[in-house]
Each structure stands twice: as C-alpha cells, then as structure tokens.
Amino acid sequence: MGRLIRGLAAEGNLRVLAADTTDVTEEARQRHGLSATATAAMGRAMTGGLLLAFLLSKTRRERVGLRFDGDGPLGGLMVEAGPDGSVRAYAQNPQAELPLRPDGKLNVGGLVGKGQLRVSRALSNGEIYDSSTELVSGEIAEDLAHYLWQSEQVPSAVLLGVRVRGDGSVQAAGGVIIQVLPEAPQAVIDHLEANLGRVGGITPLLAEQGMERSVELLLEGLGYQRTDLTVLGFKENFIPLRFQCTCSQQKALEALIFFDHHEREDMIAQDGGAEAVCHWCNQRYWITPHEIRSLAEPSTGGEVRCPDCGTLWYFQTADGLEVCHEGETCTCGREVRLGQPPRA
C-alpha cells in the first residue's frame, strides 16, 4: 500500500504533497511485465498523477488523466488517478528498454521521447477539461512542472523518483510537489532553491531516508508543518494509495456486444469461448460459451451511439440486459449524454 501526506511551510507560502508509491509501482511492474526503465517511467507518471489528483481535485469523484505521447520506444504512456487514492496505468510497449545514460542512470527521457503531454480532468458534474503542453524532456517530473506552470500559473518543484534493483523489482518509488503560492517572499524561494540544490536527486533521498524524512530535508529551515490527516478520518495520518482498475467480468462480457451473433458463435466454435484482456491492468477474463450466448440480439430501438464517432453509449437486449455509459467520456472525448436521439 502506498501513502500520501501533505503539509505547509514558510507560514503558508509553500504547499507540500508527498507520496510513497513503492508498492504501487511494484504492482504495476508485475502486472505489465515492465522493463527496468519502463518501470521508472510508469512509476514516476503514476506518482505524478496521484499528486496532481490531490492537488487539483475538489471532490473525491474527480479523476485526472495523463497521456505522454512521446516519440521514444515506450510509445504512449497513460495514467488515470483520483483523490480516492486509486491509480492505474499502461504503456504501449511495456518491455521497451534503452542502455543506461553516461551517468549510470536509467534513460527515462530517451524511452519516453519528445512530444505532447495531454492532461484531462473529469469533474464531479461530468464535465471534462483537456489541455496539452510540450514534453520538455520526457523525464516526467520536468514535464509535469512545465504543465503546472503553463496551466495553473503557479511555480512548482516536482520531484519524482524510482529506484529499481538488479532483479528488476522496485526498491523505492515516490515523489514530492512543492508549490510556491502567490505573495511568497523572495527569501523563501531562495531558501527552497538552496535546499533543493543541496539534497541532490530525489531517488537516493527516498531510498535512503524514506518519504517523511525526505520532505523534512527538502523543507529544512522553512518551518514545515505536516497536516494532521487523522481529523479527516485517516487513523494512521496518511492517505492510502493503491493500484486499482475499474475492469470487471461483467464489463468484459459487455464488450462482446460489439460483435454480432455470427462472430460470437465463431468464438465458441474456434476457441471454446472468448478471452478479454484489460489494457489498463493486464487482467484476463475468460467468457464461457453460456455467457456469450446470454447476449441476445438488441431489442428494437434499444441502442444509442455517439453522434460524432458512433461509439456505443447504450444497449438493451431483448431479454433486458442493459449496457449504459451515461456520464462517462466517449472515446472521441465527447461527454456521454443519453438525451441524444439514437443513431440510425
């Protein structure tokens, strides 16, 4: 289980969030069969997604999505996180790898490459806000700091790190975001910059000192005060973090509705059923012939599709099975509203 803490420093002029995502990153590595450098990239991205979710969200129902569209061998890297502490992620080429950099570090920037960072925020009222910025380095932390400056106009220090053992497992993973709030004295900014320069990289700090001590060292001399989360119901004074997907056996079955009756019968004849794999978590679901045949043909008029791209929004079979995506986001980015007339 991961952990998130938050606090203030410099008499409220600095806002701080920190996360230990060691277990979360290790689960992602095992689920996706990640290479060492892909593990570092996904671990940094998931940590950044969680920190942004807590930083930007106003309710627990909101979600933050990150899409790193780089030209490196990793391909696309996607993350979805929420202020409930859940996160999921996947990469287009999870086993892609590059040689170490000349300084002996994992070449995350080269694996991700140059391109665009796309950020989506799903609000509790169903509205979606999308924005994009250039990937300045592909190292994840610098890219997120650039996004926060471009979109929020608040200077932020974003530090993300993952240390991988020789056998590929995760020794330590986590990160810190320190936001400089408006009206912060220049002396506070100078002190913070001196601290950041003195401690060096965040990865060895997390591995050797742990999350809590790392935050204290980064904010030494700035009057750091950790927020008491027990008053919010978190008995251990941290917010738990976890890798968690939204897939299910039922959703896997519903996906077969997109195939017609003859195609589904071919699955039974050729394979004895059907296997569905969730790209977010790599969970595999086996659909039996009985389950496949339970999908009757649609009743008359029982189908609604996106007026822009034709994606299925609502489906009702003659025997009463319903698939409804009201309030979600369509694959084309349009908000799903079933008040739309059915597509002919």
PDB file of all heavy atoms in Angstrom, residues 145-176:
ATOM      1  N   ALA A 145       5.999  19.708 -14.107  1.00  0.00           N
ATOM      2  CA  ALA A 145       6.256  21.053 -13.597  1.00  0.00           C
ATOM      3  C   ALA A 145       5.950  22.090 -14.678  1.00  0.00           C
ATOM      4  O   ALA A 145       5.369  23.153 -14.397  1.00  0.00           O
ATOM      5  CB  ALA A 145       7.708  21.166 -13.141  1.00  0.00           C
ATOM      6  N   HIS A 146       6.318  21.780 -15.912  1.00  0.00           N
ATOM      7  CA  HIS A 146       6.027  22.683 -17.035  1.00  0.00           C
ATOM      8  C   HIS A 146       4.521  22.814 -17.232  1.00  0.00           C
ATOM      9  O   HIS A 146       4.008  23.926 -17.451  1.00  0.00           O
ATOM     10  CB  HIS A 146       6.690  22.139 -18.299  1.00  0.00           C
ATOM     11  CG  HIS A 146       6.449  22.967 -19.521  1.00  0.00           C
ATOM     12  ND1 HIS A 146       6.939  24.242 -19.677  1.00  0.00           N
ATOM     13  CD2 HIS A 146       5.750  22.697 -20.668  1.00  0.00           C
ATOM     14  CE1 HIS A 146       6.558  24.729 -20.854  1.00  0.00           C
ATOM     15  NE2 HIS A 146       5.834  23.815 -21.470  1.00  0.00           N
ATOM     16  N   TYR A 147       3.789  21.703 -17.118  1.00  0.00           N
ATOM     17  CA  TYR A 147       2.328  21.754 -17.250  1.00  0.00           C
ATOM     18  C   TYR A 147       1.704  22.625 -16.157  1.00  0.00           C
ATOM     19  O   TYR A 147       0.822  23.450 -16.434  1.00  0.00           O
ATOM     20  CB  TYR A 147       1.735  20.350 -17.181  1.00  0.00           C
ATOM     21  CG  TYR A 147       0.258  20.356 -16.866  1.00  0.00           C
ATOM     22  CD1 TYR A 147      -0.680  20.704 -17.835  1.00  0.00           C
ATOM     23  CD2 TYR A 147      -0.193  20.070 -15.579  1.00  0.00           C
ATOM     24  CE1 TYR A 147      -2.033  20.751 -17.534  1.00  0.00           C
ATOM     25  CE2 TYR A 147      -1.544  20.114 -15.270  1.00  0.00           C
ATOM     26  CZ  TYR A 147      -2.462  20.456 -16.250  1.00  0.00           C
ATOM     27  OH  TYR A 147      -3.786  20.515 -15.941  1.00  0.00           O
ATOM     28  N   LEU A 148       2.148  22.441 -14.915  1.00  0.00           N
ATOM     29  CA  LEU A 148       1.570  23.224 -13.811  1.00  0.00           C
ATOM     30  C   LEU A 148       1.812  24.717 -14.003  1.00  0.00           C
ATOM     31  O   LEU A 148       0.939  25.537 -13.692  1.00  0.00           O
ATOM     32  CB  LEU A 148       2.157  22.751 -12.478  1.00  0.00           C
ATOM     33  CG  LEU A 148       1.641  21.404 -11.958  1.00  0.00           C
ATOM     34  CD1 LEU A 148       2.454  20.948 -10.756  1.00  0.00           C
ATOM     35  CD2 LEU A 148       0.159  21.512 -11.582  1.00  0.00           C
ATOM     36  N   TRP A 149       2.974  25.066 -14.516  1.00  0.00           N
ATOM     37  CA  TRP A 149       3.252  26.482 -14.754  1.00  0.00           C
ATOM     38  C   TRP A 149       2.402  27.014 -15.899  1.00  0.00           C
ATOM     39  O   TRP A 149       1.843  28.102 -15.808  1.00  0.00           O
ATOM     40  CB  TRP A 149       4.726  26.689 -15.042  1.00  0.00           C
ATOM     41  CG  TRP A 149       5.047  28.097 -15.461  1.00  0.00           C
ATOM     42  CD1 TRP A 149       5.520  28.531 -16.656  1.00  0.00           C
ATOM     43  CD2 TRP A 149       4.889  29.275 -14.652  1.00  0.00           C
ATOM     44  NE1 TRP A 149       5.671  29.887 -16.656  1.00  0.00           N
ATOM     45  CE2 TRP A 149       5.295  30.388 -15.449  1.00  0.00           C
ATOM     46  CE3 TRP A 149       4.456  29.502 -13.344  1.00  0.00           C
ATOM     47  CZ2 TRP A 149       5.268  31.697 -14.965  1.00  0.00           C
ATOM     48  CZ3 TRP A 149       4.436  30.812 -12.868  1.00  0.00           C
ATOM     49  CH2 TRP A 149       4.826  31.886 -13.675  1.00  0.00           C
ATOM     50  N   GLN A 150       2.265  26.242 -16.956  1.00  0.00           N
ATOM     51  CA  GLN A 150       1.501  26.692 -18.115  1.00  0.00           C
ATOM     52  C   GLN A 150       0.004  26.765 -17.824  1.00  0.00           C
ATOM     53  O   GLN A 150      -0.681  27.685 -18.285  1.00  0.00           O
ATOM     54  CB  GLN A 150       1.741  25.738 -19.292  1.00  0.00           C
ATOM     55  CG  GLN A 150       3.150  25.778 -19.852  1.00  0.00           C
ATOM     56  CD  GLN A 150       3.451  27.093 -20.570  1.00  0.00           C
ATOM     57  OE1 GLN A 150       2.632  27.616 -21.308  1.00  0.00           O
ATOM     58  NE2 GLN A 150       4.643  27.629 -20.347  1.00  0.00           N
ATOM     59  N   SER A 151      -0.525  25.811 -17.066  1.00  0.00           N
ATOM     60  CA  SER A 151      -1.974  25.734 -16.868  1.00  0.00           C
ATOM     61  C   SER A 151      -2.451  26.425 -15.603  1.00  0.00           C
ATOM     62  O   SER A 151      -3.512  27.051 -15.596  1.00  0.00           O
ATOM     63  CB  SER A 151      -2.422  24.268 -16.833  1.00  0.00           C
ATOM     64  OG  SER A 151      -1.862  23.616 -15.694  1.00  0.00           O
ATOM     65  N   GLU A 152      -1.689  26.296 -14.522  1.00  0.00           N
ATOM     66  CA  GLU A 152      -2.113  26.851 -13.236  1.00  0.00           C
ATOM     67  C   GLU A 152      -1.424  28.169 -12.895  1.00  0.00           C
ATOM     68  O   GLU A 152      -1.824  28.852 -11.951  1.00  0.00           O
ATOM     69  CB  GLU A 152      -1.842  25.831 -12.119  1.00  0.00           C
ATOM     70  CG  GLU A 152      -2.491  24.468 -12.337  1.00  0.00           C
ATOM     71  CD  GLU A 152      -3.995  24.536 -12.330  1.00  0.00           C
ATOM     72  OE1 GLU A 152      -4.555  25.269 -11.500  1.00  0.00           O
ATOM     73  OE2 GLU A 152      -4.624  23.855 -13.176  1.00  0.00           O
ATOM     74  N   GLN A 153      -0.371  28.488 -13.632  1.00  0.00           N
ATOM     75  CA  GLN A 153       0.396  29.710 -13.386  1.00  0.00           C
ATOM     76  C   GLN A 153       0.956  29.775 -11.958  1.00  0.00           C
ATOM     77  O   GLN A 153       1.072  30.853 -11.365  1.00  0.00           O
ATOM     78  CB  GLN A 153      -0.468  30.944 -13.667  1.00  0.00           C
ATOM     79  CG  GLN A 153      -0.966  31.026 -15.109  1.00  0.00           C
ATOM     80  CD  GLN A 153       0.171  31.146 -16.113  1.00  0.00           C
ATOM     81  OE1 GLN A 153       0.976  32.052 -16.015  1.00  0.00           O
ATOM     82  NE2 GLN A 153       0.236  30.228 -17.059  1.00  0.00           N
ATOM     83  N   VAL A 154       1.271  28.592 -11.409  1.00  0.00           N
ATOM     84  CA  VAL A 154       1.868  28.523 -10.074  1.00  0.00           C
ATOM     85  C   VAL A 154       3.191  27.778 -10.187  1.00  0.00           C
ATOM     86  O   VAL A 154       3.211  26.613 -10.602  1.00  0.00           O
ATOM     87  CB  VAL A 154       0.942  27.795  -9.068  1.00  0.00           C
ATOM     88  CG1 VAL A 154       1.616  27.708  -7.702  1.00  0.00           C
ATOM     89  CG2 VAL A 154      -0.395  28.505  -8.960  1.00  0.00           C
ATOM     90  N   PRO A 155       4.312  28.415  -9.862  1.00  0.00           N
ATOM     91  CA  PRO A 155       5.592  27.722  -9.945  1.00  0.00           C
ATOM     92  C   PRO A 155       5.642  26.558  -8.962  1.00  0.00           C
ATOM     93  O   PRO A 155       5.248  26.693  -7.795  1.00  0.00           O
ATOM     94  CB  PRO A 155       6.617  28.804  -9.593  1.00  0.00           C
ATOM     95  CG  PRO A 155       5.843  29.846  -8.843  1.00  0.00           C
ATOM     96  CD  PRO A 155       4.451  29.811  -9.379  1.00  0.00           C
ATOM     97  N   SER A 156       6.107  25.418  -9.431  1.00  0.00           N
ATOM     98  CA  SER A 156       6.101  24.210  -8.613  1.00  0.00           C
ATOM     99  C   SER A 156       7.397  23.435  -8.808  1.00  0.00           C
ATOM    100  O   SER A 156       7.902  23.318  -9.928  1.00  0.00           O
ATOM    101  CB  SER A 156       4.924  23.300  -8.989  1.00  0.00           C
ATOM    102  OG  SER A 156       3.692  23.991  -8.907  1.00  0.00           O
ATOM    103  N   ALA A 157       7.908  22.912  -7.705  1.00  0.00           N
ATOM    104  CA  ALA A 157       9.019  21.963  -7.774  1.00  0.00           C
ATOM    105  C   ALA A 157       8.412  20.574  -7.763  1.00  0.00           C
ATOM    106  O   ALA A 157       7.722  20.191  -6.823  1.00  0.00           O
ATOM    107  CB  ALA A 157       9.954  22.158  -6.584  1.00  0.00           C
ATOM    108  N   VAL A 158       8.634  19.818  -8.827  1.00  0.00           N
ATOM    109  CA  VAL A 158       8.113  18.457  -8.928  1.00  0.00           C
ATOM    110  C   VAL A 158       9.292  17.502  -8.927  1.00  0.00           C
ATOM    111  O   VAL A 158      10.158  17.559  -9.810  1.00  0.00           O
ATOM    112  CB  VAL A 158       7.271  18.263 -10.212  1.00  0.00           C
ATOM    113  CG1 VAL A 158       6.728  16.839 -10.278  1.00  0.00           C
ATOM    114  CG2 VAL A 158       6.144  19.281 -10.275  1.00  0.00           C
ATOM    115  N   LEU A 159       9.340  16.629  -7.930  1.00  0.00           N
ATOM    116  CA  LEU A 159      10.441  15.678  -7.796  1.00  0.00           C
ATOM    117  C   LEU A 159       9.854  14.275  -7.757  1.00  0.00           C
ATOM    118  O   LEU A 159       9.054  13.955  -6.877  1.00  0.00           O
ATOM    119  CB  LEU A 159      11.246  15.948  -6.528  1.00  0.00           C
ATOM    120  CG  LEU A 159      11.830  17.366  -6.381  1.00  0.00           C
ATOM    121  CD1 LEU A 159      10.957  18.196  -5.452  1.00  0.00           C
ATOM    122  CD2 LEU A 159      13.247  17.311  -5.850  1.00  0.00           C
ATOM    123  N   LEU A 160      10.243  13.443  -8.715  1.00  0.00           N
ATOM    124  CA  LEU A 160       9.729  12.082  -8.826  1.00  0.00           C
ATOM    125  C   LEU A 160      10.892  11.124  -8.998  1.00  0.00           C
ATOM    126  O   LEU A 160      11.832  11.419  -9.749  1.00  0.00           O
ATOM    127  CB  LEU A 160       8.786  11.954 -10.031  1.00  0.00           C
ATOM    128  CG  LEU A 160       7.604  12.927 -10.092  1.00  0.00           C
ATOM    129  CD1 LEU A 160       6.912  12.839 -11.433  1.00  0.00           C
ATOM    130  CD2 LEU A 160       6.619  12.643  -8.962  1.00  0.00           C
ATOM    131  N   GLY A 161      10.840   9.992  -8.322  1.00  0.00           N
ATOM    132  CA  GLY A 161      11.945   9.055  -8.431  1.00  0.00           C
ATOM    133  C   GLY A 161      11.523   7.613  -8.259  1.00  0.00           C
ATOM    134  O   GLY A 161      10.573   7.316  -7.524  1.00  0.00           O
ATOM    135  N   VAL A 162      12.231   6.716  -8.933  1.00  0.00           N
ATOM    136  CA  VAL A 162      12.046   5.268  -8.790  1.00  0.00           C
ATOM    137  C   VAL A 162      13.426   4.622  -8.805  1.00  0.00           C
ATOM    138  O   VAL A 162      14.228   4.881  -9.704  1.00  0.00           O
ATOM    139  CB  VAL A 162      11.198   4.682  -9.940  1.00  0.00           C
ATOM    140  CG1 VAL A 162      11.106   3.158  -9.804  1.00  0.00           C
ATOM    141  CG2 VAL A 162       9.805   5.296  -9.971  1.00  0.00           C
ATOM    142  N   ARG A 163      13.707   3.791  -7.801  1.00  0.00           N
ATOM    143  CA  ARG A 163      14.952   3.017  -7.802  1.00  0.00           C
ATOM    144  C   ARG A 163      14.608   1.546  -8.004  1.00  0.00           C
ATOM    145  O   ARG A 163      13.786   0.983  -7.279  1.00  0.00           O
ATOM    146  CB  ARG A 163      15.725   3.200  -6.503  1.00  0.00           C
ATOM    147  CG  ARG A 163      16.976   2.318  -6.421  1.00  0.00           C
ATOM    148  CD  ARG A 163      17.847   2.643  -5.240  1.00  0.00           C
ATOM    149  NE  ARG A 163      18.592   3.889  -5.467  1.00  0.00           N
ATOM    150  CZ  ARG A 163      19.484   4.385  -4.600  1.00  0.00           C
ATOM    151  NH1 ARG A 163      19.712   3.737  -3.461  1.00  0.00           N
ATOM    152  NH2 ARG A 163      20.120   5.510  -4.867  1.00  0.00           N
ATOM    153  N   VAL A 164      15.255   0.950  -9.021  1.00  0.00           N
ATOM    154  CA  VAL A 164      15.000  -0.442  -9.384  1.00  0.00           C
ATOM    155  C   VAL A 164      16.195  -1.299  -8.999  1.00  0.00           C
ATOM    156  O   VAL A 164      17.346  -0.934  -9.261  1.00  0.00           O
ATOM    157  CB  VAL A 164      14.715  -0.553 -10.897  1.00  0.00           C
ATOM    158  CG1 VAL A 164      14.457  -2.007 -11.288  1.00  0.00           C
ATOM    159  CG2 VAL A 164      13.521   0.320 -11.285  1.00  0.00           C
ATOM    160  N   ARG A 165      15.941  -2.451  -8.384  1.00  0.00           N
ATOM    161  CA  ARG A 165      17.003  -3.372  -8.004  1.00  0.00           C
ATOM    162  C   ARG A 165      17.545  -4.100  -9.240  1.00  0.00           C
ATOM    163  O   ARG A 165      16.959  -4.041 -10.312  1.00  0.00           O
ATOM    164  CB  ARG A 165      16.496  -4.391  -6.997  1.00  0.00           C
ATOM    165  CG  ARG A 165      16.035  -3.803  -5.668  1.00  0.00           C
ATOM    166  CD  ARG A 165      15.707  -4.927  -4.699  1.00  0.00           C
ATOM    167  NE  ARG A 165      15.269  -4.423  -3.396  1.00  0.00           N
ATOM    168  CZ  ARG A 165      13.993  -4.253  -3.068  1.00  0.00           C
ATOM    169  NH1 ARG A 165      13.031  -4.539  -3.941  1.00  0.00           N
ATOM    170  NH2 ARG A 165      13.663  -3.798  -1.872  1.00  0.00           N
ATOM    171  N   GLY A 166      18.621  -4.821  -9.050  1.00  0.00           N
ATOM    172  CA  GLY A 166      19.222  -5.555 -10.146  1.00  0.00           C
ATOM    173  C   GLY A 166      18.304  -6.606 -10.746  1.00  0.00           C
ATOM    174  O   GLY A 166      18.410  -6.922 -11.936  1.00  0.00           O
ATOM    175  N   ASP A 167      17.396  -7.166  -9.932  1.00  0.00           N
ATOM    176  CA  ASP A 167      16.471  -8.176 -10.443  1.00  0.00           C
ATOM    177  C   ASP A 167      15.222  -7.566 -11.068  1.00  0.00           C
ATOM    178  O   ASP A 167      14.307  -8.288 -11.475  1.00  0.00           O
ATOM    179  CB  ASP A 167      16.070  -9.155  -9.336  1.00  0.00           C
ATOM    180  CG  ASP A 167      15.314  -8.470  -8.188  1.00  0.00           C
ATOM    181  OD1 ASP A 167      15.109  -7.232  -8.247  1.00  0.00           O
ATOM    182  OD2 ASP A 167      14.924  -9.171  -7.239  1.00  0.00           O
ATOM    183  N   GLY A 168      15.178  -6.222 -11.146  1.00  0.00           N
ATOM    184  CA  GLY A 168      14.046  -5.534 -11.768  1.00  0.00           C
ATOM    185  C   GLY A 168      12.981  -5.089 -10.801  1.00  0.00           C
ATOM    186  O   GLY A 168      12.119  -4.283 -11.170  1.00  0.00           O
ATOM    187  N   SER A 169      12.976  -5.583  -9.566  1.00  0.00           N
ATOM    188  CA  SER A 169      11.955  -5.188  -8.598  1.00  0.00           C
ATOM    189  C   SER A 169      12.200  -3.768  -8.099  1.00  0.00           C
ATOM    190  O   SER A 169      13.300  -3.227  -8.237  1.00  0.00           O
ATOM    191  CB  SER A 169      11.926  -6.163  -7.420  1.00  0.00           C
ATOM    192  OG  SER A 169      13.163  -6.139  -6.724  1.00  0.00           O
ATOM    193  N   VAL A 170      11.174  -3.172  -7.514  1.00  0.00           N
ATOM    194  CA  VAL A 170      11.229  -1.778  -7.095  1.00  0.00           C
ATOM    195  C   VAL A 170      11.702  -1.668  -5.650  1.00  0.00           C
ATOM    196  O   VAL A 170      11.071  -2.211  -4.736  1.00  0.00           O
ATOM    197  CB  VAL A 170       9.844  -1.112  -7.245  1.00  0.00           C
ATOM    198  CG1 VAL A 170       9.897   0.341  -6.776  1.00  0.00           C
ATOM    199  CG2 VAL A 170       9.361  -1.195  -8.690  1.00  0.00           C
ATOM    200  N   GLN A 171      12.784  -0.969  -5.451  1.00  0.00           N
ATOM    201  CA  GLN A 171      13.293  -0.734  -4.096  1.00  0.00           C
ATOM    202  C   GLN A 171      12.596   0.454  -3.450  1.00  0.00           C
ATOM    203  O   GLN A 171      12.232   0.410  -2.271  1.00  0.00           O
ATOM    204  CB  GLN A 171      14.795  -0.478  -4.120  1.00  0.00           C
ATOM    205  CG  GLN A 171      15.380  -0.180  -2.746  1.00  0.00           C
ATOM    206  CD  GLN A 171      16.854   0.173  -2.796  1.00  0.00           C
ATOM    207  OE1 GLN A 171      17.507   0.008  -3.837  1.00  0.00           O
ATOM    208  NE2 GLN A 171      17.398   0.651  -1.700  1.00  0.00           N
ATOM    209  N   ALA A 172      12.411   1.524  -4.210  1.00  0.00           N
ATOM    210  CA  ALA A 172      11.770   2.728  -3.685  1.00  0.00           C
ATOM    211  C   ALA A 172      11.152   3.505  -4.836  1.00  0.00           C
ATOM    212  O   ALA A 172      11.696   3.543  -5.939  1.00  0.00           O
ATOM    213  CB  ALA A 172      12.776   3.605  -2.936  1.00  0.00           C
ATOM    214  N   ALA A 173      10.017   4.126  -4.563  1.00  0.00           N
ATOM    215  CA  ALA A 173       9.363   4.986  -5.554  1.00  0.00           C
ATOM    216  C   ALA A 173       8.517   6.012  -4.816  1.00  0.00           C
ATOM    217  O   ALA A 173       7.947   5.725  -3.761  1.00  0.00           O
ATOM    218  CB  ALA A 173       8.484   4.169  -6.504  1.00  0.00           C
ATOM    219  N   GLY A 174       8.459   7.206  -5.361  1.00  0.00           N
ATOM    220  CA  GLY A 174       7.658   8.250  -4.729  1.00  0.00           C
ATOM    221  C   GLY A 174       7.954   9.599  -5.338  1.00  0.00           C
ATOM    222  O   GLY A 174       8.610   9.714  -6.379  1.00  0.00           O
ATOM    223  N   GLY A 175       7.453  10.622  -4.680  1.00  0.00           N
ATOM    224  CA  GLY A 175       7.671  11.959  -5.195  1.00  0.00           C
ATOM    225  C   GLY A 175       7.119  13.031  -4.282  1.00  0.00           C
ATOM    226  O   GLY A 175       6.401  12.754  -3.316  1.00  0.00           O
ATOM    227  N   VAL A 176       7.479  14.257  -4.614  1.00  0.00           N
ATOM    228  CA  VAL A 176       7.076  15.430  -3.833  1.00  0.00           C
ATOM    229  C   VAL A 176       6.736  16.555  -4.797  1.00  0.00           C
ATOM    230  O   VAL A 176       7.428  16.755  -5.802  1.00  0.00           O
ATOM    231  CB  VAL A 176       8.210  15.898  -2.885  1.00  0.00           C
ATOM    232  CG1 VAL A 176       7.751  17.099  -2.053  1.00  0.00           C
ATOM    233  CG2 VAL A 176       8.680  14.762  -1.989  1.00  0.00           C
TER     234      VAL A 176
END
